[in-house]
Amino acid sequence: MEDPEGRETRTWRWPTTGSSIFLFLCVTGLSHADALKIFNGTECVPHSQPWQVGLFEGGNLRCGGVLLDRRWVLTAAHCSGRYWVRLGEHSLSQLDWTEQLRRSAFSVTHPGYQGSLQSYDHDLRLLRLGTPVLLTGSVQPLPLATTCAAAGTECHISGWGITNRPWSPFPDRLQCLNLSIVSSATCQAAFPGRITDNMVCAGGIAGEDACQGDSGGPLVCRGVLQGLVSWGSVDPCGQKGVPGVYTNICKYVDWIRMVIRNN
């Protein structure tokens, strides 16, 4: 996905006991495929998405991710790097007293991912946390989809990526958006020659989409992880009839389980 023109920097004040930490949310330098955001979403019910994680390089939000168990997070392969992993978050600028912070120890990228400008096939990467998380009401894993979703299945996405609000493009609080799976034919028509069986498409409603900062975040359908935010249109996001493209998790369950078992 092409890199958007208008990049912005946002400063977050994150209060801690007795002091304040200034976090700079900067999307400058994100790859073309990092450019995914929640467009026209609404604030999630606090801690209703306990599997949602934010991946940070220092204070810079790079991508979203999904907690699979106490030690493993799944994100997009194009979200390369070693990260500080923030869990149990809702507001990025206020202390919720539910946060947990972990460092990613190492990552395993799907061997089929090539990172081509023309293909985002196999766009998934597993991150192993240096220290296991404590499971709480605000930090919980999300089960993997074991069957592929049919067109029309109702789902939702979440993330802290850019919104369509020009006066405040980066949301402080986690955003959610409901959307539905679209048929393979509809997706192929929107992106001729670029869609594989390893991708699933959702959305296509004008003004409603994932976009900058949400890459690697969850597409949740009927309580399971059906997809990861991967790529789509950016000029602008949320074009009518142009769905977002997600890594189709039902195609990768065996690989994910094998990596976790062997590491």
Side-chain angles (χ1 to χ4, degrees):
M1 142 170 219
E2 292 74 15
D3 200 8
E5 295 279 338
R7 302 174 184 173
E8 305 187 38
T9 301
R10 184 71 176 258
T11 302
W12 299 106
R13 185 187 298 269
W14 186 20
T16 60
T17 303
S19 65
S20 294
I21 299 175
F22 290 89
L23 297 180
F24 297 89
L25 177 56
C26 176
V27 299
T28 301
L30 295 185
S31 72
H32 54 82
D34 286 327
L36 292 176
K37 65 195 171 204
I38 300 296
F39 213 64
N40 268 346
T42 57
E43 181 181 343
C44 303
V45 174
H47 310 296
S48 62
Q49 316 299 310
W51 45 79
Q52 175 80 48
V53 308
L55 303 181
F56 287 77
E57 288 182 337
N60 301 331
L61 175 67
R62 289 302 304 268
C63 287
V66 188
L67 185 68
L68 298 186
D69 69 16
R70 292 186 62 214
R71 201 144 204 173
W72 288 93
V73 165
L74 186 63
T75 189
H78 71 258
C79 296
S80 60
R82 190 179 179 205
Y83 295 108
W84 287 105
V85 181
R86 290 172 60 175
L87 309 100
E89 292 278 12
H90 181 65
S91 168
L92 294 180
S93 68
Q94 298 180 16
L95 193 61
D96 299 312
W97 300 105
T98 54
E99 298 91 341
Q100 297 184 43
L101 182 66
R102 297 292 186 273
R103 185 70 164 159
S104 62
F106 67 89
S107 65
V108 181
T109 302
H110 192 278
Y113 179 71
Q114 297 180 355
S116 166
L117 292 176
Q118 299 302 316
S119 175
Y120 305 108
D121 214 11
H122 312 297
D123 190 12
L124 71 167
R125 178 191 307 268
L126 280 160
L127 307 179
R128 189 175 191 268
L129 304 179
T131 305
V133 302
L134 176 65
L135 297 182
T136 67
S138 301
V139 177
Q140 287 288 324
L142 182 63
L144 300 171
T146 56
T147 58
C148 298
T153 301
E154 295 182 356
C155 309
H156 69 272
I157 55 176
S158 54
W160 290 279
I162 297 174
T163 69
N164 66 329
R165 300 169 181 84
W167 63 91
S168 184
F170 294 100
D172 174 64
R173 296 175 176 83
L174 188 65
Q175 301 291 296
C176 284
L177 176 67
N178 295 326
L179 35 65
S180 297
I181 301 292
V182 302
S183 69
S184 177
T186 298
C187 197
Q188 290 281 1
F191 304 102
R194 300 184 65 186
I195 303 301
T196 73
D197 288 342
N198 301 314
M199 303 171 186
V200 62
C201 295
I205 303 299
E208 298 182 1
D209 201 0
C211 211
Q212 191 157 349
D214 292 322
S215 292
L219 173 71
V220 182
C221 309
R222 298 175 179 172
V224 298
L225 180 63
Q226 199 73 56
L228 293 177
V229 177
S230 183
W231 61 281
S233 66
V234 294
D235 192 22
C237 296
Q239 296 179 47
K240 182 178 181 180
V242 182
V245 186
Y246 301 78
T247 303
N248 201 8
I249 294 301
C250 63
K251 301 290 186 178
Y252 296 99
V253 173
D254 290 344
W255 179 79
I256 292 169
R257 289 176 175 170
M258 181 269 294
V259 171
I260 292 176
R261 182 174 62 249
N262 293 341
N263 292 276

